[in-house]
Amino acid sequence: MGRGGEKDFGKEAIDTLVKHMEDKQHEFILILAGYVREMDHFLSLNPGLHSRFPLVFHFKDYSVNQLMEIADRMVEEKDYKLSKEAERKIIEHLTEMKGIHYSSTFSNGRYVRNIIEKSIRAQAMRLLMLDHYDRDDLMYLRSSDIVLKD
């Protein structure tokens, strides 16, 4: 919204939003969420916006342990399990990513979800190559299944 361009209705939308916030200020609550830099830019697009959001909360990025909890829940919800090697590979990768500190591209929970989804697809492809597989093969995501790059 408000990024500019020939067919951008951002300014009109922001002006409408500001007017509605003024006209209906006691009738609704508006919550905006986004990355710090983009939100700062958005709030600067109209002089009346910034003052209408007196409360600003900054949430810390998840720790590696919290990200692994998210990964474990996602895997469990899909009836899979991570092998110890797969778990170690993800932990090492997340630790590295947080060290590099991709503040605008490292998307925390979404990043973990993408790893798990790609890894499940990789596991399926690996199983297609096997003549025979057992229950553990079906349930476990192995280190070789963990996809960390596109």
Side-chain angles (χ1 to χ4, degrees), residues 1-12:
M1 181 182 278
R3 295 183 193 262
E6 184 181 320
K7 296 185 179 188
D8 180 34
F9 298 103
K11 182 179 178 351
E12 182 179 338

Side-chain angles (χ1 to χ4, degrees), residues 25-134:
Q25 63 181 307
H26 299 292
E27 297 177 34
F28 79 103
I29 295 173
L30 179 63
I31 299 171
L32 302 177
Y35 295 109
V36 174
R37 187 176 12 187
E38 286 81 358
M39 292 306 301
D40 287 344
H41 174 70
F42 174 75
L43 292 174
S44 74
L45 294 173
N46 178 296
L49 267 180
H50 199 274
S51 64
R52 287 182 169 80
F53 293 96
L55 300 175
V56 176
F57 299 96
H58 294 277
F59 295 96
K60 290 182 179 179
D61 286 342
Y62 291 118
S63 68
V64 171
N65 287 339
Q66 290 169 322
L67 290 170
M68 281 310 298
E69 284 181 39
I70 291 169
D72 289 336
R73 285 183 187 172
M74 289 177 178
V75 167
E76 187 178 317
E77 285 173 4
K78 296 178 182 293
D79 294 323
Y80 289 94
K81 294 180 181 183
L82 291 171
S83 71
K84 292 293 180 197
E85 297 79 21
E87 190 173 286
R88 190 169 22 259
K89 184 175 182 177
I90 295 172
I91 289 170
E92 288 173 3
H93 178 71
L94 293 174
T95 301
E96 179 184 338
M97 292 301 290
K98 287 189 69 64
I100 294 170
H101 192 63
Y102 281 107
S103 59
S104 64
T105 59
F106 183 63
S107 54
N108 268 316
R110 183 176 343 120
Y111 188 83
V112 170
R113 182 184 67 221
N114 290 342
I115 288 173
I116 298 305
E117 289 174 353
K118 289 177 198 172
S119 299
I120 288 171
R121 288 191 296 272
Q123 184 242 29
M125 295 304 293
R126 176 176 57 83
L127 293 178
L128 279 174
M129 300 301 152
L130 299 178
D131 292 330
H132 175 74
Y133 42 85
D134 61 21

